[in-house]
Amino acid sequence: DWYSRERKWILTTLKTSHLAPCQRSATFLRKASMPKLFVLTVFLFLIVLESFAQTTEPHLEEMIKLPKLPFQIKDYGGTMWWQSDFVSNDSARYLRLRFAEVKNPNSEAINIVIRDKQGIELARVDTRILVPDQPWISPLLMTNSVRASIESSKRPKGFSLVLSSYFFSKSDPRQLSVPNTPDPWKSISTISQNSAEIKWAQSVVNIISTDTNQSCTGFIVGSDLIVTNEHCAELSERFRKNRKSCNDLQIQLDFNAESSTRVYAGCAEAVSGKGIDVAVLKVRAADRDKLKNRPILKLATAMKHPLEVEVIHHPAGLSKMISPPCKLLDFDAGKKLLRHDCNTIPGSSGSPIFDMATGVVAALQVQGYPNMSKPEYDLRSARGEKFYNFAVPAAQIRKLFTDLTD
């Protein structure tokens, strides 16, 4: 039938042609005869997902390039505005996507979500943290059938997303999520128990989705309030639906070592900032006593750059870690964020970045520098590219949440 013929032709053109990538893209655009851009886009995502069947990771120069075509919004009901069909793979893979264009002029909470056939969410990325020409890498996808979708609580306005290339890998290609250093952080349990950092760490928490077990970091800013990223609050399916409830999130306290006794508090509700990746979680009333006798961390009102800082966090959901001294460098006007060179990975989102001299929170970790393989890092570094992590200045959080000011 028509669908099968067109699908076969696309796969043949994009995956088996011996043309150079740019020629392959041009050939596709010249010959494509499908009537609707939406159908073209669905096929592109099918091609991406079907590439799970690859058995080897391509070299950087062999990365599959795609025609630069945007997705087309369609109302699927609820919070979904685009989805692919289900496709199967032979074994688990890591998916890596690169986008030629990401436009979200209203800074809406719009996510790319990957689910299995049972509807269980396997991976999610907030499109506000995507950067054109810098890859996004999924967690390990332990399933043999997946679907991708674009989801938002309301119909996106002015949103544009253009996928340009992809590849899949059997092994996790995040070797350089952390800069080249033998000790990117150390357990908080190994430092002097009389240090100021031990006191600060009492107010750093691990935030865990009870549905997916994905995690982030957060920190205490009030008797029952915790600051984290909005994309961390969105680990809660309930919060994604009604922008308030978050009782499917657990707040883990005192996870200072793998042997620590686990202490949990529940999340009652959450509120997020407008146009900035920040959220405040309110601890349920029955658990507020668990936050007693912990420092309420202060948010800086102003600071000078560069500033010597430390990060206390739960990288990849691990027990509490502290980074070596690092620096908040300068303000990136384009991103409206601070650049820094501290070591972070997924799970570090929402962590406090402390001014080492005063102990106040200077910034909130929000985005790591691009995940990439060693060959790509070496190649791009040789070209003179510099890579940074990004953080929300504490002063911006104060402006958004006036009840957090002194």
Side-chain angles (χ1 to χ4, degrees):
D1 56 34
W2 174 86
Y3 177 93
S4 297
R5 292 196 307 272
E6 293 289 356
R7 178 176 173 280
K8 182 177 179 181
W9 178 82
I10 294 173
L11 290 171
T12 301
T13 300
L14 291 178
K15 297 177 71 177
T16 64
S17 171
H18 294 290
L19 297 175
C22 59
Q23 292 175 303
R24 189 160 60 237
S25 297
T27 300
F28 178 87
L29 290 171
R30 186 172 62 253
K31 292 184 178 180
S33 60
M34 279 176 267
K36 294 183 179 179
L37 182 59
F38 171 70
V39 179
L40 280 169
T41 308
V42 171
F43 279 135
L44 287 176
F45 270 82
L46 285 172
I47 291 166
V48 170
L49 295 173
E50 285 184 354
S51 294
F52 276 169
Q54 293 185 122
T55 57
T56 59
E57 177 178 333
H59 296 298
L60 176 63
E61 62 273 15
E62 295 174 349
M63 186 181 296
I64 306 301
K65 295 187 177 181
L66 301 174
K68 294 180 178 179
L69 295 174
F71 81 95
Q72 183 174 355
I73 293 173
K74 179 179 178 181
D75 191 350
Y76 282 78
T79 60
M80 187 177 298
W81 301 99
W82 182 90
Q83 68 177 358
S84 72
D85 200 355
F86 282 109
V87 293
S88 298
N89 61 293
D90 295 331
S91 59
R93 293 288 186 274
Y94 294 89
L95 166 63
R96 173 173 167 177
L97 302 177
R98 188 189 295 270
F99 298 90
E101 178 182 286
V102 182
K103 291 183 179 179
N104 190 354
N106 300 311
S107 193
E108 297 176 86
I110 304 170
N111 299 283
I112 299 172
V113 183
I114 297 176
R115 300 180 188 276
D116 63 15
K117 280 196 170 182
Q118 287 70 47
I120 296 174
E121 182 178 316
L122 305 175
R124 167 181 293 261
V125 60
D126 188 329
T127 57
R128 289 174 296 184
I129 71 169
L130 297 176
V131 179
D133 295 322
Q134 295 183 1
W136 170 74
I137 303 174
S138 76
L140 182 63
L141 302 175
M142 298 293 293
T143 183
N144 58 10
S145 189
V146 293
R147 157 183 280 175
S149 62
I150 301 291
E151 300 184 17
S152 174
S153 60
K154 58 185 179 180
R155 186 181 183 89
K157 295 180 180 179
F159 178 68
S160 176
L161 184 68
V162 181
L163 180 69
S164 60
S165 64
Y166 70 91
F167 74 76
F168 283 90
S169 173
K170 278 187 174 181
S171 58
D172 190 342
R174 292 171 222 261
Q175 299 97 319
L176 291 172
S177 291
V178 176
N180 286 328
T181 176
D183 297 303
W185 45 67
K186 58 185 176 182
S187 172
I188 198 75
S189 64
T190 64
I191 70 174
S192 170
Q193 297 303 296
N194 296 319
S195 66
E197 287 84 352
I198 288 294
K199 185 176 181 181
W200 306 343
Q202 292 175 23
S203 299
V204 177
V205 304
N206 195 25
I207 299 168
I208 307 168
S209 164
T210 58
D211 293 327
T212 66
N213 210 38
Q214 292 177 286
S215 66
C216 279
T217 304
F219 57 96
I220 298 171
V221 292
S223 60
D224 60 353
L225 299 178
I226 291 170
V227 162
T228 188
N229 295 137
E230 182 180 31
H231 73 262
C232 294
E234 289 174 348
L235 294 178
S236 164
E237 183 176 2
R238 292 169 177 80
F239 180 74
R240 294 197 301 270
K241 289 180 177 178
N242 61 32
R243 311 308 294 177
K244 184 176 181 180
S245 175
C246 57
N247 59 4
D248 51 347
L249 292 180
Q250 284 186 326
I251 299 165
Q252 187 179 44
L253 306 162
D254 299 328
F255 184 27
N256 297 328
E258 294 302 323
S259 58
S260 298
T261 301
R262 308 294 197 263
V263 178
Y264 296 96
C267 184
E269 58 184 86
V271 60
S272 58
K274 295 181 179 179
I276 191 167
D277 192 355
V278 178
V280 172
L281 311 183
K282 189 170 185 177
V283 175
R284 67 183 181 185
D287 292 326
R288 288 176 188 170
D289 284 350
K290 296 177 181 178
L291 273 61
K292 279 186 176 180
N293 303 317
R294 299 174 188 274
I296 293 176
L297 298 181
K298 300 297 183 182
L299 298 168
T301 54
M303 56 187 162
K304 296 180 180 180
H305 310 123
L307 182 70
E308 192 166 23
V309 294
E310 291 175 309
V311 180
I312 300 178
H313 53 149
H314 289 276
L318 297 172
S319 60
K320 204 169 295 177
M321 301 287 172
I322 184 168
S323 71
C326 44
K327 283 185 169 56
L328 273 176
L329 298 169
D330 55 13
F331 191 75
D332 186 305
K335 285 181 172 289
K336 299 181 180 179
L337 298 171
L338 287 166
R339 300 193 302 174
H340 68 89
D341 60 3
C342 307
N343 300 331
T344 66
I345 62 172
S348 303
S349 291
S351 56
I353 301 177
F354 291 96
D355 179 341
M356 290 183 64
T358 65
V360 301
V361 177
L364 170 74
Q365 167 64 17
V366 65
Q367 179 184 335
Y369 77 87
N371 292 315
M372 65 192 83
S373 62
K374 186 68 165 63
E376 181 176 354
Y377 176 84
D378 291 342
L379 178 61
R380 294 174 66 178
S381 295
R383 292 172 178 168
E385 289 190 59
K386 302 293 184 182
F387 304 105
Y388 303 97
N389 286 338
F390 292 94
V392 179
Q396 288 190 21
I397 304 172
R398 294 176 68 95
K399 290 177 183 178
L400 285 169
F401 302 100
T402 55
D403 58 326
L404 300 184
T405 58
D406 295 331

